[in-house]
Amino acid sequence: MGVVVNLDGDRKKPSLDALTALVRDDLKAVNEQIILRMDSPVHLIPQLASHLIVAGGKRLRPMLTLASAKMCGYEDGRRHVALAACVEFIHTATLLHDDVVDESDLRRGLASANAVFGNKASVLVGDFLFSRSFELMVEDGSLEVLAILSHASSVIAEGEVLQLITTNDTETSETAYLNVIKAKTAQLFAAACRIGAVVADRPKVEEEALENYGMNLGIAFQLIDDVLDFSAEQAKLGKTVGDDFRDGKITLPVILAFRRSDDEERQFWRRTLEDLEQSDGDLQHGIELMIKHNALHDTIERARHYGAIARDSLGIFDDGPVKRSFDDLIDFCIDRAY
Amino acid sequence: MGVVVNLDGDRKKPSLDALTALVRDDLKAVNEQIILRMDSPVHLIPQLASHLIVAGGKRLRPMLTLASAKMCGYEDGRRHVALAACVEFIHTATLLHDDVVDESDLRRGLASANAVFGNKASVLVGDFLFSRSFELMVEDGSLEVLAILSHASSVIAEGEVLQLITTNDTETSETAYLNVIKAKTAQLFAAACRIGAVVADRPKVEEEALENYGMNLGIAFQLIDDVLDFSAEQAKLGKTVGDDFRDGKITLPVILAFRRSDDEERQFWRRTLEDLEQSDGDLQHGIELMIKHNALHDTIERARHYGAIARDSLGIFDDGPVKRSFDDLIDFCIDRAY
């Protein structure tokens, strides 16, 4: 069934409901695949992996694969289910490795796998999930899918390294930042969408349309994530606010605020984000500067821009419940900021 | 050219010379591939990767792929070169992730990548090399090779997690330990050999013979590595002695010594390896206990056993310079202990 959301006039708060309803049965199958294939005689592996995978998350990326396959009329096979599980494994592996990297204390409101099991286990279980993902792709047998996801994986790693380099550098440009989030976040969104078209054996133009949708949706998604780290909404989601600030991570709200700041304000940013000399009230002061300079507001505007491109990417597809749920997903990703 | 080493009578100290001479030109091509394909616009990646890759190592694993292809009469193509580079990328990725894991200070006599660049970069550059390896395999286009190396990769990760679990556990059995080293070390040796036969399109029996050779050679290799960590030879190689001891890693020399120890000696092992309460002289005392209980000697004997199996694995191949260099490699791996 499709829950149609009226995007004009007095619209409802956008949600994932329409999309979730469309792929519900397939997503259940994906979850079963995930549980089945993350198993290992080495019990710590499923134990640690389930800490992240079973505990939750929205399954946004596998849903993209499932919905893309549906959009392309794929109905007879089960390949999209296994490949959606691959996408989630790659995503979870990067989260596990990110835990090592960021020393983040909370993820999805639970203690991070890292905090519970230690750095070493997070790295190795991430490696296992990553390898297992490739084993699943080999079982699927499509070199095209293998090419898309192996390329996405190396681009993600490049993006993460790029982010590492820009951390603590308040001079980071908006362009450099965009390159980071395209690589570390949007590339997997794009790949997740594209492989949905690949299993349906659709023309390249449809593969590319879905890839572009995923890429631009992913950019918008990450921009809003970066806004949320300075927002009260974040706390409601059970996440700590100010993680990026504490790590000295340079995201678009910071970049815009810094570029619009006067000398004294720039001293503040350099002290807190470059030298990581932070004390009580600094996060709050940073947020106030962002509000003063419209940095959060304009980051959301930038997200809207990419959301608009994502929407137009799908112009070649006929209207219908799947396409409407893709549209709604854009609104959902952006409206999280409010 | 083949440097024939006389294994009977007053034999020379075994070396890698014969093997190296046999694959010299191919290995040069592998090194070029490695440099070419580890490149990235994100300069930290080749910078950090070259710290490990270019700086050296014996290139033992890629040489196994090259020599196996040669043993199977593969002559017309270049696939073995790209796939040997894949094997080295996977190996380097595990070393980088091992650096995070073990906080080892020295590897190959240089400061570890970790010590120079930090945990985060080691994890991410490892991820990049791992992903790049799969990209190279996709270019090669063989699903059989992809299956072998993706399976090997997930087994390696399982082995590393298994090692993590047995660390600090003096009750670890020889069987449990063997499962660890089969997975974390020997599996990649086995895969490296097998894909040499795959590119030559040889019957399964030859693939399996080479795989068995690699598996047993890998076990022998790791056993001797574990002995070297308690040996003066290690220092000569520019490696620190006692790394495993300091980490509380349970290797076969420890397992044998512990099982042959009296109560008082077991207290020593528990204090130093389980509780990690170590002071000056403890490493030396541990080595003395190993010598008293023949633990180092008998670990080398175990290695000889696996070396013998490796030798017999190659029985189906005709005698000749390649086979002799494979034989010599077994002796080389074991004689490092002296």
Side-chain angles (χ1 to χ4, degrees):
Chain A
M1 67 175 227
V3 178
V4 180
V5 175
N6 176 11
L7 292 175
D8 305 307
D10 55 346
R11 63 195 182 83
K12 284 190 280 185
K13 178 102 179 159
S15 79
L16 284 177
D17 293 348
L19 182 63
T20 307
L22 273 171
V23 301
R24 179 161 291 135
D25 293 343
D26 286 344
L27 193 58
K28 195 161 161 279
V30 170
N31 285 331
E32 286 162 7
Q33 272 293 306
I34 285 172
I35 303 291
L36 189 69
R37 301 310 296 268
M38 77 181 184
D39 203 15
S40 162
V42 183
H43 299 305
L44 180 59
I45 291 175
Q47 192 187 351
L48 196 157
S50 68
H51 191 80
L52 260 179
I53 291 188
V54 181
K58 295 177 289 291
R59 299 273 195 272
L60 201 50
R61 294 157 191 82
M63 278 206 285
L64 287 174
T65 301
L66 299 176
S68 294
K70 203 176 260 292
M71 181 92 121
C72 292
Y74 181 71
E75 280 182 351
D76 297 335
R78 305 299 292 157
R79 292 179 59 201
H80 62 324
V81 169
L83 295 178
C86 288
V87 168
E88 187 70 357
F89 278 170
I90 291 174
H91 173 56
T92 308
T94 64
L95 286 185
L96 281 164
H97 288 186
D98 234 25
D99 273 348
V100 174
V101 166
D102 294 334
E103 292 160 7
S104 44
D105 296 314
L106 286 173
R107 182 175 303 282
R108 293 175 182 165
L110 298 166
S112 76
N114 185 355
V116 177
F117 298 96
N119 261 352
K120 306 181 182 190
S122 289
V123 174
L124 299 174
V125 174
D127 288 349
F128 174 82
L129 292 177
F130 197 55
S131 306
R132 181 49 57 89
S133 169
F134 279 93
E135 286 188 279
L136 286 169
M137 286 178 236
V138 170
E139 286 175 28
D140 173 73
S142 160
L143 281 168
E144 194 177 350
V145 168
L146 277 156
I148 292 167
L149 285 175
S150 61
H151 179 65
S153 299
S154 68
V155 170
I156 291 167
E158 283 180 323
E160 297 270 2
V161 176
L162 211 50
Q163 174 170 270
L164 198 60
I165 295 169
T166 60
T167 297
N168 308 122
D169 180 3
T170 54
E171 306 284 338
T172 303
S173 69
E174 180 165 351
T175 305
Y177 164 82
L178 269 175
N179 286 334
V180 168
I181 67 171
K182 275 182 193 168
K184 77 161 190 162
T185 306
Q187 190 79 29
L188 190 57
F189 277 66
C193 289
R194 179 160 197 153
I195 60 179
V198 169
V199 295
D201 204 14
R202 299 298 302 168
K204 287 284 173 221
V205 66
E206 293 190 15
E207 282 185 24
E208 282 163 16
L210 281 161
E211 183 178 40
N212 282 329
Y213 171 83
M215 176 61 76
N216 287 284
L217 178 75
I219 295 170
F221 179 86
Q222 185 60 56
L223 286 168
I224 299 301
D225 241 33
D226 293 344
V227 168
L228 286 173
D229 200 59
F230 294 100
S231 122
E233 291 298 310
Q234 185 80 332
K236 288 188 202 158
L237 296 170
K239 297 188 182 186
T240 49
V241 179
D243 270 349
D244 294 343
F245 184 79
R246 270 183 292 277
D247 291 342
K249 224 182 251 179
I250 308 301
T251 60
L252 192 56
V254 170
I255 292 169
L256 295 180
F258 181 81
R259 302 217 157 204
R260 296 167 185 182
S261 285
D262 62 24
D263 283 352
E264 192 187 320
E265 289 165 350
R266 287 190 183 181
Q267 282 308 317
F268 165 81
W269 293 116
R270 289 203 187 93
R271 169 173 64 79
T272 53
L273 300 179
E274 292 193 2
D275 307 334
L276 289 179
E277 286 173 19
Q278 301 182 5
S279 50
D280 287 354
D282 277 346
L283 173 61
Q284 190 53 41
H285 183 59
I287 293 174
E288 282 159 13
L289 287 180
M290 285 177 179
I291 292 168
K292 171 184 168 189
H293 291 298
N294 278 320
L296 295 170
H297 174 272
D298 287 353
T299 299
I300 298 169
E301 285 305 302
R302 301 285 209 275
R304 286 195 192 289
H305 163 80
Y306 293 102
I309 297 175
R311 198 177 313 275
D312 280 318
S313 301
L314 300 183
I316 59 165
F317 292 99
D318 292 337
D319 199 19
V322 189
K323 187 169 169 180
R324 281 196 296 277
S325 76
F326 268 124
D327 274 345
D328 204 30
L329 177 56
I330 300 169
D331 295 318
F332 169 77
C333 285
I334 292 169
D335 283 34
R336 293 182 303 150
Y338 297 106
Chain B
M1 71 175 227
V3 178
V4 180
V5 175
N6 177 13
L7 292 174
D8 304 307
D10 55 346
R11 63 191 182 84
K12 282 189 280 184
K13 178 106 179 155
S15 78
L16 285 177
D17 293 349
L19 182 62
T20 307
L22 273 171
V23 301
R24 179 163 292 136
D25 292 344
D26 286 344
L27 193 57
K28 195 161 161 278
V30 170
N31 285 333
E32 285 162 5
Q33 273 292 307
I34 286 172
I35 303 291
L36 189 68
R37 302 310 297 268
M38 76 181 185
D39 203 16
S40 162
V42 183
H43 300 305
L44 181 59
I45 290 175
Q47 192 187 351
L48 196 157
S50 68
H51 192 80
L52 260 177
I53 291 187
V54 180
K58 295 178 288 293
R59 298 272 196 272
L60 201 50
R61 295 156 189 83
M63 278 205 286
L64 287 174
T65 301
L66 298 176
S68 294
K70 201 176 262 289
M71 180 92 121
C72 291
Y74 181 73
E75 280 184 349
D76 296 335
R78 305 299 291 158
R79 293 178 59 200
H80 62 323
V81 169
L83 295 177
C86 287
V87 168
E88 186 71 358
F89 277 169
I90 291 174
H91 171 58
T92 308
T94 65
L95 286 185
L96 280 165
H97 288 185
D98 234 25
D99 273 346
V100 173
V101 165
D102 295 334
E103 292 160 4
S104 43
D105 296 313
L106 285 174
R107 182 173 303 279
R108 292 174 183 165
L110 298 167
S112 77
N114 186 355
V116 177
F117 298 96
N119 262 352
K120 306 180 182 189
S122 289
V123 174
L124 299 175
V125 174
D127 288 349
F128 174 81
L129 291 177
F130 198 54
S131 305
R132 181 49 57 89
S133 169
F134 279 94
E135 287 188 279
L136 286 169
M137 286 177 236
V138 170
E139 285 175 28
D140 173 72
S142 160
L143 281 168
E144 193 177 350
V145 168
L146 276 155
I148 292 167
L149 286 176
S150 61
H151 179 65
S153 299
S154 68
V155 170
I156 291 167
E158 282 180 324
E160 297 270 2
V161 175
L162 211 51
Q163 173 169 271
L164 197 60
I165 295 168
T166 59
T167 297
N168 308 122
D169 180 3
T170 54
E171 306 284 339
T172 304
S173 69
E174 180 164 351
T175 305
Y177 164 81
L178 269 175
N179 287 335
V180 168
I181 68 171
K182 274 182 195 167
K184 76 161 191 162
T185 305
Q187 191 79 30
L188 190 58
F189 277 66
C193 288
R194 180 161 198 153
I195 60 179
V198 170
V199 296
D201 204 15
R202 300 298 304 168
K204 286 284 174 218
V205 67
E206 293 190 16
E207 282 185 24
E208 282 163 18
L210 281 162
E211 183 178 39
N212 283 329
Y213 171 82
M215 177 61 76
N216 286 285
L217 178 75
I219 295 171
F221 179 86
Q222 184 62 55
L223 286 168
I224 299 301
D225 240 33
D226 293 344
V227 168
L228 286 173
D229 199 58
F230 294 101
S231 120
E233 291 298 310
Q234 186 80 332
K236 289 187 202 157
L237 296 171
K239 297 187 184 187
T240 49
V241 179
D243 271 348
D244 294 343
F245 185 80
R246 269 184 292 277
D247 292 341
K249 224 182 252 178
I250 309 299
T251 60
L252 192 55
V254 170
I255 292 169
L256 295 180
F258 180 81
R259 302 216 157 204
R260 297 167 184 182
S261 285
D262 62 25
D263 283 351
E264 191 187 323
E265 289 165 350
R266 288 190 185 183
Q267 281 309 317
F268 165 81
W269 293 115
R270 290 202 188 93
R271 170 174 64 78
T272 52
L273 300 180
E274 293 193 3
D275 306 335
L276 289 179
E277 286 173 19
Q278 302 182 4
S279 50
D280 287 354
D282 278 345
L283 173 62
Q284 190 52 41
H285 183 60
I287 293 174
E288 282 159 12
L289 287 180
M290 286 177 179
I291 291 168
K292 171 184 170 189
H293 291 298
N294 278 322
L296 294 170
H297 175 272
D298 287 354
T299 299
I300 298 169
E301 285 306 302
R302 301 286 208 276
R304 284 194 194 290
H305 163 81
Y306 294 101
I309 298 175
R311 199 177 313 274
D312 279 318
S313 301
L314 300 184
I316 59 166
F317 292 99
D318 292 337
D319 199 21
V322 188
K323 186 168 170 179
R324 280 197 296 277
S325 76
F326 268 123
D327 274 345
D328 204 32
L329 177 56
I330 300 170
D331 296 317
F332 169 78
C333 285
I334 293 170
D335 283 34
R336 292 183 304 150
Y338 297 105

